[in-house]
Amino acid sequence: MATIQSDILYAFCKASSTFRSVPRSIVFCRLISSPHRPSFRLRAFTNGGAGESSSPAAVKLPEKPSICTADELHYVSVSNSDWRLALWRYHPSPQAPRRNHPLLLLSGVGTNAIGYDLSPGSSFARYMSGQGFETWILELRGAGLSVNGSNSKDIQKSSQAISDRMEATSESASNSNGVVASEKELNNILDAISDKMESASKSASKLNGAVASEKELNNNSEAISESVTSSSLEVETGNGAVSEELTRLATVWDESKLVARLTETFMRLSERVSGFLSDNQSKIMSTKLLDQISKLLVDSPLYERFNEIRGKLSALLETGQNSGITNQITDLSQKLVKIIEESQLSVSPPLFDLQARFTSTIEDFQRQLDLMVKYDWDFDHYLEEDVPAAIEYIMNESKPKDGKLLAIGHSMGGILLYSMLSRFACEEKESRLAAVVTLASSLDYTSSKSTLKLLLPLADPAQALNVPVVPLGAMLAAAYPLSSRPPYVLSWLNTLISAEDMMDADLLKRLVLNNFCTIPAKLILQLTTAFRERGLCNRNGTFFYKDHIHKNNVPILAIAGDRDMICPPEAVKETVKLIPDHLVTYKLFGEPEGPHYAHYDLVGGRMAVEQVYPCIIEFLSSHDK
């Protein structure tokens, strides 16, 4: 059990999931940033209906994907990015009191909008719209139905594909045997990770608020990196056996193609992989690749020749991009391929499948570089680009008289709101927030016993290169049978999400199978600063958000759950104590004899509609002036 309970991947469980079909409209909105943020010019594309935008250039699109259960689905573009962020919109009930401000909901790390809309009988978003709030849920880049696309046709196609995949995952879980993944996939994705994380668990148990020794963290990080890198690459391709298949099929030796591929790989490293890698990180990655090739030749008489070429390549890569480097790298790549070829032919007996293994090594490495570029964002991207773009668009659509909105954030969503308030307070600027509610959120976890401390082995920046992404959604789906069916070897996982008897089994299933996404290592790295002295900071380590939260002038309701192991009450209070008393209200849900509230129960638990939701309505109503 120590091995299983050490799994860092499940410490991220933040929000929830559902799939109901309410066909309405889909809107694609493109925001084009002006030179001075946060001002935007807007162009909207809509298929009409009650929520049709008054902006020009309206284009009718097909219906929104069935996985989206909102009244409308909008898309917002972000400056300096190809991402189009999904905004789920819920119209206020005409029978409810008229509200003065729209409401924005922000989800946790690696989660999507479904967490706020699990089912007709368990939908926080529908409850709030039923109370008269025009409610919007933002899906940050990489989450839910947010996509890369340049026009409405691409948006529609991509969002439909995502919706189909999410529904297929749920259907797979409902087959006759209740099996989500094959035995082989479970072994590759789940068991391998669990087996290699026992040392991380032992180290974490020694923490008690302190960081493990550097040696322990390095050992743990290496073990985690090996297992998660393997599963990340396999999950991202959509087939757990892809690596084996590539090795088996790569039997034809195409020297020219291999030289071109190897040259391309080294050139990308020389160019710092589209800005993802620093000079030092690029050196780490190139060393890693050359080490992998070296292992293939360790028993070969050509090993010394390889080391000569390796030295020249390393020197070239350290000099960076220049006019003559391409030809030199191509020449050295040619020589390296020749060495592999000669080793395959000259050694008696021949080295088994050396050429195929060499090809597979290059392909695996390239896929890892692709993941780095694809998932190249962190917490500051959310804070400085995604959330402001969404707020600007909502303001344009809803047009509140005072130019403000209300906001609720669960887990990382609440951390984003705290960070916004801190940043604007420091700069003495208007936050455009009338009032804020945070659910299980904090800027500082150092004094708590949060299970997120198991992220500390990944706090070494080098590990972001070995583990570019954590495919949380795919891993939770693979683990689901082990947590929900005999012999219940991962049943403890459910308690991280929901306390006993607090969530209907079908809703928990939807939560696990559809609500979680792939998480970039860069995002994890920044979030781990919340466990260090002074708490969460920006990517450069120059701005500590809790240092300025006391300057905030926006009313805050901070809510905690008594059985929350991800963001325990003591972590929530660590931030609350920094805010002026007249501006903050702290509320702890859960009683000694029950009911109890775990991390997600504050949003989707069976008692939330009776206890938590009314508390939030009362607070927001008092500040909806």
Side-chain angles (χ1 to χ4, degrees):
M1 287 298 293
T3 301
I4 295 172
Q5 291 176 342
S6 70
D7 201 331
I8 61 166
L9 304 174
Y10 304 123
F12 277 124
C13 301
K14 301 292 184 194
S16 53
S17 63
T18 188
F19 37 89
R20 294 180 285 116
S21 180
V22 185
R24 295 288 178 90
S25 63
I26 181 170
V27 181
F28 168 47
C29 172
R30 183 178 183 186
L31 294 180
I32 306 173
S33 113
S34 73
H36 303 288
R37 283 173 34 194
S39 297
F40 294 89
R41 289 184 293 111
L42 296 114
R43 277 193 307 159
F45 301 86
T46 177
N47 70 338
E52 182 171 354
S53 170
S54 60
S55 301
V59 176
K60 188 171 183 177
L61 297 177
E63 293 182 345
K64 62 185 177 60
S66 59
I67 200 74
C68 177
T69 51
D71 296 325
E72 298 173 2
L73 178 62
H74 298 238
Y75 278 93
V76 181
S77 70
V78 185
S79 60
N80 304 317
S81 172
D82 292 330
W83 279 102
R84 301 299 184 265
L85 311 179
L87 270 170
W88 297 34
R89 185 181 193 176
Y90 300 78
H91 297 310
S93 170
Q95 286 76 43
R98 181 177 177 84
R99 306 292 182 172
N100 296 314
H101 299 95
L103 173 64
L104 172 63
L105 307 182
L106 298 177
S107 304
V109 63
T111 62
N112 56 41
I114 292 174
Y116 284 116
D117 194 3
L118 272 172
S119 73
S122 181
S123 173
F124 182 73
R126 286 287 173 195
Y127 181 93
M128 299 306 290
S129 66
Q131 294 293 316
F133 292 99
E134 180 184 314
T135 303
W136 301 75
I137 309 174
L138 171 63
E139 292 187 312
L140 300 161
R141 66 184 74 187
L145 295 175
S146 291
V147 298
N148 276 291
S150 58
N151 56 58
S152 58
K153 185 177 180 179
D154 290 342
I155 297 294
Q156 174 64 36
K157 183 178 179 180
S158 298
S159 61
Q160 187 60 55
I162 294 171
S163 178
D164 291 345
R165 285 198 301 269
M166 295 170 73
E167 291 181 330
T169 298
S170 299
E171 291 172 4
S172 297
S174 302
N175 65 19
S176 58
N177 295 320
V179 177
V180 174
S182 68
E183 181 179 354
K184 186 173 185 179
E185 287 175 314
L186 284 174
N187 287 337
N188 288 342
I189 298 174
L190 179 65
D191 294 341
I193 295 174
S194 296
D195 289 343
K196 289 191 176 185
M197 295 190 65
E198 186 171 2
S199 60
S201 176
K202 292 178 180 178
S203 293
S205 67
K206 300 175 184 177
L207 287 174
N208 293 325
V211 179
S213 70
E214 181 178 357
K215 183 176 181 180
E216 286 176 314
L217 290 182
N218 288 339
N219 291 339
N220 294 339
S221 297
E222 291 175 4
I224 296 169
S225 299
E226 291 174 6
S227 56
V228 179
T229 299
S230 174
S231 59
S232 298
L233 295 174
E234 291 169 356
V235 168
E236 195 62 28
T237 58
N239 187 333
V242 167
S243 294
E244 294 179 12
E245 196 70 13
L246 285 171
T247 301
R248 186 163 56 87
L249 295 177
T251 57
V252 179
W253 185 255
D254 190 326
E255 181 179 312
S256 61
K257 289 184 179 180
L258 193 57
V259 170
R261 177 169 289 176
L262 191 58
T263 299
E264 177 191 2
T265 300
F266 284 125
M267 288 301 299
R268 292 179 70 189
L269 286 172
S270 175
E271 295 164 358
R272 316 304 184 210
V273 195
S274 301
F276 181 92
L277 303 177
S278 65
D279 290 351
N280 185 55
Q281 291 170 332
S282 180
K283 182 177 180 180
I284 293 172
M285 288 300 292
S286 59
T287 299
K288 177 182 177 180
L289 174 59
L290 292 170
D291 283 345
Q292 291 172 342
I293 298 174
S294 174
K295 292 177 182 178
L296 301 177
L297 296 167
V298 67
D299 295 323
S300 168
L302 302 174
Y303 187 70
E304 291 301 322
R305 279 178 55 191
F306 163 77
N307 280 334
E308 292 178 11
I309 295 174
R310 173 177 182 158
K312 294 178 181 178
L313 273 170
S314 297
L316 273 178
L317 294 175
E318 288 184 20
T319 62
Q321 186 77 349
N322 60 59
S323 57
I325 193 173
T326 302
N327 290 336
Q328 296 178 68
I329 287 181
T330 301
D331 180 61
L332 291 172
S333 297
Q334 177 81 46
K335 292 179 179 179
L336 187 55
V337 171
K338 285 289 187 183
I339 287 178
I340 299 294
E341 186 176 35
E342 290 178 30
S343 297
Q344 175 79 26
L345 298 175
S346 63
V347 177
S348 181
L351 294 176
F352 179 71
D353 266 353
L354 177 60
Q355 294 172 339
R357 285 185 287 148
F358 179 70
T359 301
S360 180
T361 296
I362 301 302
E363 290 173 339
D364 286 346
F365 189 81
Q366 282 192 319
R367 283 200 300 275
Q368 188 170 354
L369 292 182
D370 289 340
L371 286 178
M372 290 180 181
V373 174
K374 181 178 180 180
Y375 292 92
D376 184 14
W377 67 84
D378 55 22
F379 181 84
D380 285 355
H381 284 99
Y382 291 158
L383 180 65
E384 298 170 0
E385 299 177 12
D386 293 17
V387 177
I391 290 177
E392 187 69 26
Y393 178 64
I394 293 171
M395 295 296 188
N396 180 272
E397 289 290 306
S398 302
K399 297 179 173 58
K401 292 181 180 179
D402 62 357
K404 295 182 179 182
L405 54 72
L406 303 167
I408 299 175
H410 176 248
S411 199
M412 188 192 71
I415 298 175
L416 281 167
L417 294 175
Y418 278 138
S419 300
M420 282 184 63
L421 294 175
S422 177
R423 179 70 65 86
F424 280 108
C426 177
E427 298 173 357
E428 298 183 349
K429 294 181 179 179
E430 179 61 58
S431 68
R432 308 182 77 179
L433 298 173
V436 161
V437 179
T438 64
L439 306 169
S441 306
S442 180
L443 293 171
D444 187 349
Y445 290 76
T446 54
S447 64
S448 74
K449 296 180 180 179
S450 168
T451 54
L452 291 181
K453 281 187 175 178
L454 294 169
L455 290 174
L456 289 174
L458 285 179
D460 179 0
Q463 297 311 315
L465 308 177
N466 295 325
V467 189
V469 298
V470 176
L472 180 61
M475 291 179 177
L476 283 175
Y480 176 74
L482 303 180
S483 66
S484 60
R485 299 180 179 89
Y488 302 104
V489 294
L490 285 181
S491 60
W492 66 270
L493 168 61
N494 296 341
T495 63
L496 284 179
I497 303 173
S498 177
E500 187 175 0
D501 296 328
M502 277 295 281
M503 189 176 293
D504 177 80
D506 287 339
L507 296 183
L508 182 61
K509 174 182 173 181
R510 292 174 180 176
L511 169 68
V512 172
L513 296 180
N514 284 130
N515 186 62
F516 299 95
C517 316
T518 296
I519 306 171
K522 291 179 72 172
L523 175 57
I524 297 175
L525 287 176
Q526 188 170 355
L527 289 175
T528 58
T529 63
F531 293 90
R532 300 174 187 167
E533 186 179 359
R534 299 182 69 183
L536 182 73
C537 65
N538 65 354
R539 70 170 67 97
N540 299 321
T542 57
F543 188 92
F544 293 85
Y545 295 104
K546 69 179 246 183
D547 288 355
H548 305 278
I549 193 66
H550 69 280
K551 304 172 187 175
N552 161 65
N553 61 0
V554 175
I556 298 172
L557 170 63
I559 295 177
D562 65 330
R563 292 289 177 88
D564 192 336
M565 293 185 286
I566 294 175
C567 186
E570 59 266 27
V572 176
K573 289 189 286 187
E574 194 68 26
T575 298
V576 167
K577 71 181 185 182
L578 303 174
I579 304 169
D581 291 343
H582 70 284
L583 287 172
V584 65
T585 302
Y586 172 74
K587 179 66 177 178
L588 174 65
F589 284 94
E591 302 294 336
E593 302 301 322
H596 299 291
Y597 286 81
H599 195 63
Y600 183 72
D601 294 325
L602 296 171
V603 177
R606 63 180 177 84
M607 298 297 295
V609 68
E610 298 177 17
Q611 297 182 347
V612 182
Y613 296 2
C615 175
I616 294 174
I617 291 294
E618 180 182 2
F619 174 80
L620 292 182
S621 298
S622 66
H623 297 287
D624 184 43
K625 307 299 184 183

